[in-house]
Amino acid sequence: VLGMESWLAITPDTNAYYEPIRNWVNGLGYINACRMPGLLPIYAPLYYFFGELWANNLITLIQLLCSTLSVFLLAKTAKYYFPNVSSTIVALLYISTPFISIYDHYGLSDSLSVSFMIYGCYFFTQFKQTQEKKIKYITIILSAFFFIWASYMRQFNLFIFGMFGLLL
């Protein structure tokens, strides 16, 4: 970590994610982008309405909230695939992993990327569980939405998204 700006931890890669978004909001175009634009729909409105300091605080809170929800949904998803394993054990193992939870306050896309992948897995599981056609359509669309958005955060997620396509 290079430093802290409010609650957001700044790393050497942080500007590669956030500077193109700030430039775009400031009317300079989406230039010097070497990262996928998955953070743009979240960070751009925050930066536009609240400025950099509060946008950084709010993106940290959003990452934390998304991560918290993802732990709950991961436990529910694990219960479907591993019915004999306690959901509490899955949640405790996940939140005790420092690799995952440490990124919730970093100015990177890792936290939201992992959270959105878990959301995609959860909705895919709901798709497999339900029999009602309308709910099946909604859950598969939500699953694809979060898998695609996670891929816009981290390109590596395309491989995972592809594996769920094979399962489908």
Side-chain angles (χ1 to χ4, degrees):
V1 177
L2 293 177
M4 295 286 291
E5 289 185 11
S6 63
W7 298 331
L8 190 71
I10 305 300
T11 70
D13 287 343
T14 299
N15 277 337
Y17 289 100
Y18 291 96
E19 196 61 34
I21 299 170
R22 287 188 212 112
N23 287 340
W24 182 74
V25 171
N26 293 331
L28 303 174
Y30 199 80
I31 53 175
N32 297 330
C34 67
R35 305 286 182 183
M36 292 288 280
L39 288 171
L40 184 119
I42 301 169
Y43 187 76
L46 298 175
Y47 177 74
Y48 179 80
F49 288 111
F50 303 110
E52 187 174 351
L53 178 66
W54 281 102
N56 290 349
N57 281 340
L58 291 170
I59 196 76
T60 304
L61 287 175
I62 289 169
Q63 287 181 164
L64 181 62
L65 291 172
C66 286
S67 183
T68 302
L69 178 61
S70 74
V71 172
F72 175 72
L73 295 180
L74 178 65
K76 288 185 74 160
T77 303
K79 192 66 175 168
Y80 173 77
Y81 291 104
F82 307 104
N84 296 330
V85 177
S86 169
S87 299
T88 306
I89 292 173
V90 172
L92 288 174
L93 285 173
Y94 182 82
I95 62 175
S96 67
T97 305
F99 178 75
I100 301 296
S101 60
I102 196 170
Y103 288 106
D104 287 343
H105 74 285
Y106 274 55
L108 302 170
S109 66
D110 297 28
S111 176
L112 289 172
S113 172
V114 170
S115 294
F116 289 177
M117 284 304 293
I118 291 171
Y119 296 170
C121 291
Y122 171 77
F123 285 116
F124 186 82
T125 303
Q126 294 302 306
F127 166 78
K128 290 181 69 165
Q129 282 182 326
T130 190
Q131 298 301 317
E132 189 180 333
K133 286 233 184 248
K134 183 179 179 181
I135 294 175
K136 277 185 107 53
Y137 288 130
I138 291 169
T139 55
I140 198 66
I141 288 170
L142 286 170
S143 176
F145 173 78
F146 282 111
F147 280 138
I148 291 167
W149 200 351
S151 298
Y152 274 108
M153 299 272 185
R154 305 278 299 177
Q155 297 87 340
F156 179 75
N157 291 333
L158 281 172
F159 296 112
I160 298 168
F161 182 38
M163 291 172 44
F164 277 93
L166 291 174
L167 284 173
L168 183 63

